[in-house]
């Protein structure tokens, strides 16, 4: 199997894990642990895992002038990304959050045009506008069920998270072209941990672990090991062979997996607004990402 096919499989696995995570993480917060406290636990656990696995990997030295890029990747890919996503998810529903994340490919393409001066075709511009209209409808009118306490604000924060993740994919690509993923990912998470510490420490301290059921502990472990450590590693390895826009496109699979999982457990339900918004976003993504040669 070619490296590119392995990268595509890795990106698909990431989408499946993230799709399931929307509902699993929703079961944990905010009932047992608040969003920022959960992020501190998530990032802290991943820091330990990345540094442990680094001891068994080939060693590379990072140039000092690359650390500002690593710090920027830590901010957009770990700290700001997770703070806005988990806070947004705690306020909205799994399906709404997953559908909004589909706008990421369009965001990545827009940022690539602005930052990397890549030329956009007219259909791409139309696709971006169409997708953003769908996202705006979902944010303004996408009512959620269950424990969605403030769906409007929650949906907006998930959108901000998608923009942050778009910046991260572009920033980290140059690091991937220069270093092995294990060389710098441990630094990304260490700096990310330092950034989220002031936000999550007080919430983490208030968790009454004796009252947390065992199934919730397993779900917390899933988010730390699979949804954070494994997904970030697979994404980095995929980006070794694929462009940021290609990796971002796989996010459109997340609403499918998230919807199937959430509805099967009775955690969420479909509505005309969600379906209509999803169609607009999917059409927008299709128009944006269709190219003569796919890479």
């Amino acid at each position: 199997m070619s490296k590119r096919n392995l990268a595509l499989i890795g990106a698909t696995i990431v989408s499946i894990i993230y799709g399931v995570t929307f509902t699993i993480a929703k079961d944990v917060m905010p009932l047992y642990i608040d969003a920022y406290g959960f992020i501190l636990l998530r990032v802290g656990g991943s820091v330990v895992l990345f540094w442990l696995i680094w001891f068994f990997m080939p060693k590379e030295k990072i140039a000092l002038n690359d650390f500002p890029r690593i710090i920027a990747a830590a901010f957009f890919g770990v700290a700001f990304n997770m703070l806005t996503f988990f806070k947004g998810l705690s306020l909205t529903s799994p399906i709404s959050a997953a559908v909004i994340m589909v706008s990421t490919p369009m965001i990545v393409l827009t940022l690539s045009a602005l930052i990397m001066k890549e030329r956009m075709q007219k259909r791409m511009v139309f696709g971006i506008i169409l997708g953003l209209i769908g996202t705006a409808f979902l944010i303004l009118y996408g009512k959620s069920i269950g424990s969605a306490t403030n769906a409007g604000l929650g949906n907006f924060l998930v959108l901000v998270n998608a923009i942050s993740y778009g910046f991260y994919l572009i920033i980290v690509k140059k690091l991937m072209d220069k270093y092995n993923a294990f060389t710098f990912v441990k630094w990304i998470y260490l700096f990310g941990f330092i950034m989220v510490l002031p936000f999550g420490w007080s919430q983490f301290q208030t968790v009454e672990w004796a009252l947390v059921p065992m199934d919730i502990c397993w779900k917390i472990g899933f988010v730390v090991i699979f949804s954070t450590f494994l997904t970030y590693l697979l994404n980095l390895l995929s980006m070794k062979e694929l462009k940021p826009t290609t990796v971002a496109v796989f996010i459109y699979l997340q609403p499918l997996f998230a919807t199937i999982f959430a509805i099967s457990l009775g955690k969420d339900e479909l509505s005309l607004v969600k379906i209509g918004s999803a169609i607009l976003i999917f059409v927008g993504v299709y128009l944006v990402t269709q190219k003569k040669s796919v890479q």
Side-chain angles (χ1 to χ4, degrees):
M1 186 177 294
S2 68
K3 291 183 178 179
R4 187 175 187 280
N5 286 337
L6 287 174
L8 293 173
I9 291 173
T12 302
I13 293 174
V14 168
S15 294
I16 294 173
I17 294 175
Y18 277 150
V20 172
T21 300
F22 285 104
T23 296
I24 291 180
K26 185 72 175 177
D27 288 341
V28 176
M29 61 180 190
L31 182 59
Y32 297 101
I33 180 170
D34 282 331
Y36 294 165
F38 196 8
I39 291 170
L40 183 63
L41 181 62
R42 179 182 182 181
V43 177
S46 296
V47 167
V48 173
L49 292 173
F50 279 123
W51 277 88
L52 282 176
I53 199 170
W54 172 76
F55 286 108
F56 303 97
M57 295 296 158
K59 304 301 183 289
E60 285 181 294
K61 187 176 181 180
I62 299 176
L64 287 177
N65 59 358
D66 283 326
F67 272 97
R69 181 174 291 273
I70 290 175
I71 293 173
F75 176 77
F76 289 109
V78 178
F80 191 58
N81 178 315
M82 292 189 185
L83 288 172
T84 52
F85 173 71
F86 268 58
K87 186 62 177 179
L89 184 58
S90 70
L91 298 173
T92 189
S93 71
I95 292 179
S96 294
V99 171
I100 291 174
M101 284 301 294
V102 174
S103 63
T104 300
M106 293 174 285
I107 293 170
V108 171
L109 191 71
T110 303
L111 293 176
S112 296
L114 295 175
I115 298 173
M116 299 180 176
K117 307 301 181 183
E118 292 184 4
R119 185 180 178 184
M120 286 196 297
Q121 300 176 17
K122 290 183 180 179
R123 62 174 171 79
M124 293 182 176
V125 176
F126 179 69
I128 291 172
I129 295 174
L130 200 62
L132 291 180
I133 290 174
T135 304
F137 267 107
L138 191 60
I139 291 176
L140 296 174
Y141 304 108
K143 304 301 181 183
S144 303
I145 66 167
S147 56
T149 55
N150 191 339
L153 177 59
N155 291 339
F156 173 74
L157 289 174
V158 174
L159 176 62
V160 172
N161 150 78
I163 296 172
S164 177
Y165 186 68
F167 272 111
Y168 162 75
L169 288 178
I170 292 174
I171 291 170
V172 83
K173 177 60 178 175
K174 288 189 177 181
L175 292 173
M176 284 302 308
D177 293 338
K178 191 172 182 180
Y179 302 106
N180 182 288
F182 293 102
T183 300
F184 62 84
V185 69
K186 65 184 186 298
W187 288 108
I188 287 179
Y189 264 83
L190 180 60
F191 287 126
F193 178 76
I194 294 172
M195 293 175 187
V196 301
L197 187 60
F199 296 91
W201 180 248
S202 60
Q203 293 185 0
F204 179 76
Q205 282 186 309
T206 61
V207 178
E208 298 183 35
W209 292 103
L211 301 180
V212 178
M214 183 55 64
D215 68 307
I216 297 298
C217 290
W218 281 110
K219 290 177 179 179
I220 291 174
F222 177 90
V223 172
V224 172
I225 297 173
F226 291 96
S227 306
T228 312
F229 172 74
L230 183 60
T231 55
Y232 268 74
L233 189 57
L234 287 175
N235 257 343
L236 288 172
L237 295 176
S238 295
M239 288 189 68
K240 195 75 174 178
E241 302 296 327
L242 307 173
K243 293 181 180 179
T245 47
T246 305
V247 175
V249 164
F250 279 85
I251 291 174
Y252 78 80
L253 293 175
Q254 291 183 23
L256 172 63
F257 298 126
T259 301
I260 293 173
F261 191 70
I263 292 178
S264 66
L265 297 179
K267 302 292 184 180
D268 206 345
E269 64 182 14
L270 288 173
S271 68
L272 291 178
V273 171
K274 290 176 183 176
I275 294 173
S277 298
I279 291 173
L280 287 174
I281 294 173
F282 286 145
V283 172
V285 170
Y286 176 81
L287 291 174
V288 166
T289 57
Q290 287 301 299
K291 296 181 180 180
K292 292 182 179 179
S293 59
V294 179
Q295 163 65 12

